Amino acid sequence: MQIARRLLVLALATALPMTAFVAAPRAAHAAGEAAVAQDGPLTGEVVSRWLDSWQAFTAWSGALPPDRRAEIGQAIRDHRAATPTQPGRDLAAMTAAIEGMPEWHEASAMVMKRGFADLAAWAATGDRIMQAYLTLDYDSAASVAARAERDALRTRIRDSDQLTDAQKQQLLQSYGPSEEMNRPVMAIPAAELEAVRPHMERLRALQPQG
């Protein structure tokens, strides 16, 4: 998932020292605020907290030196090659790839400051939010109309008598997979869809542009 990959790249681009964050989880628990676990309820408040944490990550992105970025990228590629990613678990898989690296601990402390149990819980929550977002967006009127238009264009390409088979194949490939293949891969509980629905515009703004 392209959104998840961009989120992770920016989220892990943090080089602030651990001492800036270690006191925060204790303060949150002392105040009686339960940390969000991987399988905890996905509520509107949790979605809002996760989005706020994403804004914080974007403010800190770019702090890692190029060599650290390269090492993180290679670790993610190696993990992806060795361990197939479960559908809808992109963020969880990518954060697992860097577990044990200094950036994992720094990022984990950062999300703990914002009420998540650790980086794994933050990633799992992000995956659930993104899958709910994709399901809601897939069913929106604008997306339905856009898919219908793309399907009609694919049909015109296939039926064209002015294009060679090779040209048709090239054009069809340029439009990506069929719309059915773009359908969200997971069944999302209704309660989670309703928790995410009010945040659709903020989530839509996370999509890569261009």
Side-chain angles (χ1 to χ4, degrees), residues 96-174:
I98 65 155
E99 188 166 358
M101 297 175 70
E103 290 78 14
W104 192 96
H105 297 289
E106 293 168 1
S108 194
M110 185 178 298
V111 298
M112 288 169 69
K113 179 181 179 182
R114 288 156 180 83
F116 294 88
D118 55 20
L119 187 60
W122 179 87
T125 301
D127 281 331
R128 291 165 67 189
I129 291 170
M130 287 300 164
Q131 285 301 311
Y133 161 78
L134 290 172
T135 297
L136 290 168
D137 186 67
Y138 188 87
D139 293 333
S140 69
S143 291
V144 169
R147 287 197 302 276
E149 182 178 347
R150 289 193 296 269
D151 276 339
L153 180 57
R154 290 186 181 95
T155 298
R156 291 198 296 273
I157 291 172
R158 294 189 190 98
D159 294 344
S160 174
D161 56 6
Q162 300 179 3
L163 297 171
T164 66
D165 288 343
Q167 288 171 328
K168 290 179 182 180
Q169 186 66 22
Q170 184 177 10
L171 285 170
L172 290 171
Q173 287 180 348
S174 72

Side-chain angles (χ1 to χ4, degrees), residues 35-51:
V36 178
Q38 292 192 44
D39 56 354
L42 186 62
T43 65
E45 189 275 334
V46 169
V47 175
S48 181
R49 194 189 308 178
W50 192 91
L51 284 165

